[in-house]
Amino acid sequence: MRMETCLARTLKWWLLCSALLCASGTFGATDVGLEKAGPRVTLVLAGGGAKGFAHLAVLRRLQRDHVKISKIIGTSMGAVIGSLYASGMTVDEIEQVIDDLQPSSVALDRIDRTSLPNRLREYQRNHPIDLEFGYKNNQLTFARGFSDGQRFLALLQTLLVDVSQHIDFDRLKIPLRAVATRLRDGEMVAFDHGNLPLIVRASMAAPGVFAPVEIDGETYVDGGLVANLPIELALQEGADVIVASYLGATDLPAQSPADDNALNVANRMLKILIRQNERRSIAQLRPQDILVQPDLNQFSFESFDQSAAIIARGDKAVQLLDDRFRALATDAPDLVAQQAAPTRPEDQPRKPVRTIRQLEVTGNHTVPASFVRQALQPLMGQKFDADKVAQKIDALYVSGYFERISYQIGPASGDADKTAPTSEDCALIIDVNEKTYGPTFLKTSLGFFSETNGNNQYSLGVGLRRPWLTEGGLELQLDASIGSQSELSARLFQSLGSGFGTSTYASYNSNSLPLYRPDVTDAQVMASATLRKQELGLKLTYDFDNLVATSLGLISSQTALGIDTPRDITFGGASGAGTAFHLDDASWSFTGLNAQITIDQLDAPSFPTRGYYLNMEAAQGINDQSQYSSYRSSARWASSRGPHILNLGAESGSDHELDCTTCTATGLRAPLYLGGFQAMGAYHLAQLNGDRLLHMQATYMYRLSEGGVFHQPTYVGWVTEAGDAWLHINDMSLKRSNTLFAAVDSKIGDIFLGIAAGSDGNRNIFFQLGRRFSPW
């Protein structure tokens, strides 16, 4: 009986202890599980262009408090910032990238003029209106956005080079969703896998601002059209706490920036479209969620150059919610050890050093793949370097044929004639999107010039460029203009490789010219004439590394000058005696050799702030009927310090086409001239005329404004000049001129107003709009 009682007691104690141990173990396990799970904090980053830099303030606070972010969901610029952070970059690293960003160059694809091919620079000088469009499928077509977004894509590819190219976004350091709008049906698409840089670029494709992006046969635009603050998506994916960084809270219509350019207008249209989906999203926030609303009203979509001020506004908004953020960090105190500052994901180590053994091209239609491969050929056999690849792709982009160029790294395939590739060999796969409005490109030009004496010049023109008529690179250019100066010309260019090419052209020009009295004490127009010129030419060209352009060729021209007013002219002299002239029509022809060398490293053709320019040209007749020789040279140098800009220029020429040994007024039809802005401004256009020329000028400019996102800087300045154009049978009389001017280096060409005074009592007030005029 005692044994049973003792056994019973022992069993009871054993059961009680077991129960207590089990209970203790159960509670302990539950506590550990809660510590590991914690609240699922989802960070939602809104779209808003440059205002998205404010997101860094929110990220910095969460990073500082060691709050574990379970997922990042971003739209447009929110997807940009979110993807960089989710892939392992710290806030400081992202901010450094932004500080180094050249806004107009990277964000808006502004191309440095000196990087353009020489022929494209000349084409743009002749047709300065920046808008380019095309003719395709029997209709006019236009670019799909103000910017192609190519350089932003290239930047993302460089920054995200260590991320696998077709990755599941849940495998990033922090899981990510990037929101875009499918253009076909307007549906929201939350990308959770794929080519991360390309998807982020699609998410930020604001209509009218950045061109759409094609992914797997579908076209996508900015996700802000359907979910600029994708809170509903965060709820669907199980967020316990949402931290939403919103960029539009104080952006009221009455307080918005002036809609003074296309980007602001496009941004205003987007705001109208996305306002409703933002309000619906904010209405879904719960009491535990945090909404950060920085005051960004003074900034606009394109304020890429004000990143520090935008981030500071974000910091201020975060500080206003200090209690909420401290509570969020307190809710999960044990998470500090689980997440320090972001590092590269463990399952996404840096790629091993690889050697590029193959180049593959996809997506091309008109532009041959051989052209793309040739541009990237220097990368063959080299170790893969994202920066070097980006440089070569950028050089390919500025050729003007492509809207978008992206790349992938793939395994190199075997070659029957070579050893099988090693594990370190790779293929560089280049995917190109040609300009959608090509391959026939059109540009327009307009010009208007007026002086105080009633001399008005005007023209309206169009230029057509059709590259790649053949796979070998045959290109056709057609130019036509009407007005006081009319032109019709055709040019064929054929690349011969290694910088060589041939240029064949035919042109016809007709210009209305005022003929001034030979003495220049008064800008008196004696008569008006029409100059008609026909020219044929064949040249061999050579471009040295896009720096020096040279040509040598055979040209043949016929020129006729017809007097349009009475031919017998008498005007009074200083002593009261009249001087009589009889003007006759004239014509002459020339066949000879022409050689030219040009170095153009100016950042702008008309109002340069840096760089230099040198041009030398010579021509010589080759038969008895061509009593002709011509030598011309011009140089220019530009430098700046802050808003202060200095230009120095000089030109000289000798152009003897007629035997003027016994003539008196032949200078009225001589081919060298001065007059007008930066060409002896106190004198009227072509008032100084002869077969010899010498001219020097110094221009000081003060930049009043950078010209906003379109980069149309405004200047005031002063030009001091000395020079003359004279007949070789006469003596040079050095003349002087000073000009005060205001100017805009605009997207339609030069705009300037000048007031000038000079030697011989000459005065001039002139106005220029668009393309400058050349009397000859």
Side-chain angles (χ1 to χ4, degrees):
M1 194 65 166
R2 286 183 178 178
M3 290 183 61
E4 290 179 359
T5 302
C6 182
L7 182 60
R9 290 177 179 175
T10 302
L11 182 59
K12 288 179 181 179
W13 279 107
W14 181 82
L15 290 172
L16 180 60
C17 289
S18 297
L20 291 173
L21 286 173
C22 288
S24 174
T26 300
F27 291 133
T30 301
D31 290 343
V32 171
L34 288 172
E35 289 174 7
K36 289 183 178 179
R40 288 169 293 185
V41 177
T42 297
L43 180 61
V44 177
L45 304 178
K51 298 183 196 179
F53 296 152
H55 295 322
L56 293 178
V58 180
L59 284 168
R60 181 181 287 110
R61 179 58 186 262
L62 295 176
Q63 179 178 295
R64 190 196 75 183
D65 291 347
H66 302 288
V67 172
K68 179 179 176 61
I69 303 173
S70 298
K71 187 171 293 182
I72 298 176
I73 300 176
T75 295
S76 195
M77 185 57 76
V80 175
I81 301 296
S83 66
L84 298 179
Y85 193 80
S87 67
M89 293 182 68
T90 66
V91 173
D92 289 342
E93 289 173 338
I94 299 172
E95 192 166 355
Q96 185 61 54
V97 169
I98 292 172
D99 289 341
D100 295 339
L101 189 70
Q102 295 180 345
S104 58
S105 176
V106 176
L108 300 174
D109 284 333
R110 179 168 171 255
I111 296 174
D112 188 337
R113 179 177 177 270
T114 60
S115 67
L116 292 172
N118 284 311
R119 288 187 300 109
L120 195 55
R121 270 179 260 174
E122 180 182 2
Y123 180 70
Q124 291 185 343
R125 278 197 303 268
N126 293 332
H127 301 281
I129 293 181
D130 204 43
L131 174 65
E132 185 178 59
F133 54 101
Y135 185 78
K136 187 175 184 179
N137 299 327
N138 299 319
Q139 63 181 357
L140 294 179
T141 55
F142 297 85
R144 300 192 296 174
F146 173 77
S147 167
D148 293 331
Q150 166 61 30
R151 287 186 165 158
F152 218 122
L153 173 62
L155 177 64
L156 290 170
Q157 287 185 304
T158 300
L159 296 174
L160 299 172
V161 67
D162 292 327
V163 176
S164 295
Q165 302 188 6
H166 293 285
I167 189 175
D168 180 346
F169 294 172
D170 286 338
R171 297 179 59 205
L172 295 169
K173 174 65 178 178
I174 302 173
L176 175 73
R177 300 291 182 266
V179 176
T181 302
R182 190 165 58 204
L183 189 59
R184 171 170 55 86
D185 54 11
E187 288 295 317
M188 182 190 79
V189 177
F191 284 97
D192 59 6
H193 68 281
N195 186 324
L196 183 56
L198 195 60
I199 287 170
V200 171
R201 168 63 184 82
S203 179
M204 58 172 282
V209 181
F210 297 109
V213 174
E214 289 74 31
I215 300 175
D216 297 332
E218 291 280 4
T219 301
Y220 296 91
V221 294
D222 198 295
L225 296 176
V226 289
N228 199 52
L229 187 67
I231 290 172
E232 183 176 1
L233 179 60
L235 295 172
Q236 292 173 357
E237 302 225 350
D240 295 325
V241 177
I242 294 174
V243 177
S245 181
Y246 178 47
L247 306 173
T250 60
D251 198 4
L252 303 176
Q255 300 171 311
S256 61
D259 298 327
D260 54 2
N261 62 58
L263 285 185
N264 278 338
V265 172
N267 190 29
R268 171 57 53 198
M269 294 173 63
L270 287 176
K271 288 173 184 174
I272 294 172
L273 291 174
I274 68 180
R275 187 63 62 194
Q276 294 300 320
N277 73 60
E278 286 181 329
R279 290 174 178 170
R280 288 194 300 269
S281 295
I282 293 174
Q284 297 179 73
L285 289 172
R286 303 158 300 183
Q288 70 268 33
D289 300 327
I290 301 175
L291 179 65
V292 182
Q293 306 177 76
D295 181 0
L296 302 173
N297 190 54
Q298 72 180 84
F299 305 102
S300 62
F301 177 88
E302 75 275 9
S303 299
F304 291 100
D305 57 347
Q306 301 182 64
S307 58
I310 293 173
I311 295 171
R313 289 297 180 92
D315 286 331
K316 184 176 181 180
V318 169
Q319 291 171 8
L320 293 175
L321 298 169
D322 183 69
D323 291 343
R324 299 293 306 277
F325 277 101
R326 282 193 287 107
L328 180 63
T330 304
D331 286 344
D334 295 332
L335 294 178
V336 173
Q338 297 184 30
Q339 181 178 340
T343 57
R344 298 291 175 181
E346 295 179 357
D347 55 352
Q348 291 295 314
R350 289 187 176 274
K351 297 294 186 294
V353 176
R354 292 184 174 181
T355 302
I356 300 173
R357 297 297 183 191
Q358 289 178 318
L359 289 173
E360 300 178 16
V361 180
T362 63
N364 62 301
H365 299 287
T366 301
V367 182
S370 58
F371 172 76
V372 179
R373 282 195 291 267
Q374 182 180 6
L376 300 175
Q377 189 64 33
L379 298 174
M380 283 290 290
Q382 302 296 313
K383 300 296 183 183
F384 173 78
D385 184 309
D387 291 329
K388 291 182 178 179
V389 172
Q391 291 173 5
K392 292 298 180 184
I393 286 181
D394 191 67
L396 193 60
Y397 171 68
V398 300
S399 67
Y401 304 127
F402 305 104
E403 179 183 273
R404 177 184 60 77
I405 307 172
S406 60
Y407 71 87
Q408 301 179 37
I409 299 297
S413 60
D415 190 324
D417 299 327
K418 298 179 182 179
T419 306
T422 69
S423 60
E424 293 185 352
D425 292 339
C426 67
L428 184 62
I429 305 168
I430 306 296
D431 183 59
V432 299
N433 273 38
E434 296 174 5
K435 288 188 179 294
T436 54
Y437 56 89
T440 301
F441 302 104
L442 298 169
K443 293 194 74 173
T444 58
S445 66
L446 62 86
F448 176 76
F449 179 78
S450 181
E451 295 179 295
T452 51
N453 68 346
N455 175 30
N456 297 320
Q457 300 285 331
Y458 63 92
S459 73
L460 179 65
V462 62
L464 179 148
R465 184 170 62 97
R466 175 56 168 94
W468 303 109
L469 289 170
T470 66
E471 189 168 338
L474 182 65
E475 179 173 317
L476 170 68
Q477 286 187 17
L478 298 175
D479 293 284
S481 64
I482 58 173
S484 58
Q485 295 192 9
S486 301
E487 174 190 16
L488 182 62
S489 67
R491 184 183 300 268
L492 280 172
F493 175 81
Q494 175 63 63
S495 173
L496 301 178
S498 300
F500 287 96
T502 61
S503 178
T504 307
Y505 64 94
S507 66
Y508 170 80
N509 294 274
S510 176
N511 296 341
S512 297
L513 296 175
L515 302 182
Y516 294 90
R517 57 190 284 178
D519 64 352
V520 294
T521 56
D522 184 19
Q524 180 181 349
V525 176
M526 296 174 52
S528 63
T530 300
L531 180 74
R532 297 179 176 88
K533 187 173 184 179
Q534 305 170 57
E535 187 168 290
L536 297 173
L538 173 62
K539 294 182 179 181
L540 176 67
T541 66
Y542 178 73
D543 282 0
F544 179 75
D545 197 25
N546 206 34
L547 175 64
V548 182
T550 62
S551 68
L552 175 64
L554 181 69
I555 60 174
S556 178
S557 67
Q558 293 182 340
T559 306
L561 185 72
I563 306 301
D564 300 330
T565 53
R567 302 167 186 274
D568 293 311
I569 303 167
T570 301
F571 59 86
S575 62
T579 303
F581 275 96
H582 176 76
L583 303 177
D584 288 323
D585 295 342
S587 64
W588 55 94
S589 61
F590 159 70
T591 299
L593 296 174
N594 176 279
Q596 185 174 7
I597 179 171
T598 303
I599 303 174
D600 185 354
Q601 291 296 296
L602 296 174
D603 63 340
S606 299
F607 301 99
T609 62
R610 59 177 172 80
Y612 55 92
Y613 172 87
L614 175 65
N615 181 74
M616 294 182 291
E617 185 175 2
Q620 179 63 54
I622 59 175
N623 56 35
D624 294 339
Q625 288 73 37
S626 297
Q627 300 289 328
Y628 180 69
S629 62
S630 172
Y631 308 95
R632 303 183 187 186
S633 65
S634 61
R636 193 169 186 176
W637 173 84
S639 182
S640 62
R641 176 172 294 182
H644 304 281
I645 301 156
L646 178 64
N647 284 193
L648 300 177
E651 58 182 319
S652 63
S654 170
D655 201 314
H656 187 194
E657 189 159 0
L658 295 174
D659 182 5
C660 290
T661 305
T662 59
C663 63
T664 56
T666 312
L668 298 174
R669 60 193 184 199
L672 299 180
Y673 61 90
L674 287 171
F677 183 60
Q678 291 182 319
M680 302 298 292
Y683 297 84
H684 292 74
L685 186 66
Q687 182 182 350
L688 301 178
N689 183 260
D691 58 12
R692 299 291 187 271
L693 181 145
L694 179 64
H695 175 241
M696 296 169 288
Q697 63 94 359
T699 301
Y700 167 76
M701 298 186 293
Y702 181 83
R703 185 171 51 241
L704 294 174
S705 75
E706 292 286 355
V709 69
F710 286 106
H711 192 70
Q712 299 182 109
T714 302
Y715 305 98
V716 293
W718 183 268
V719 186
T720 296
E721 303 173 87
D724 192 18
W726 72 99
L727 287 172
H728 69 283
I729 59 175
N730 300 326
D731 293 329
M732 181 189 73
S733 175
L734 192 66
K735 301 170 178 61
R736 292 176 175 80
S737 172
N738 291 285
T739 303
L740 177 66
F741 71 92
V744 179
D745 194 357
S746 80
K747 296 301 182 182
I748 63 171
D750 300 342
I751 301 176
F752 54 79
L753 174 67
I755 302 174
S759 302
D760 306 311
N762 279 270
R763 304 284 189 273
N764 196 9
I765 299 176
F766 48 83
F767 173 74
Q768 165 74 37
L769 171 67
R771 181 178 177 180
R772 293 195 191 185
F773 291 90
S774 174
W776 282 71

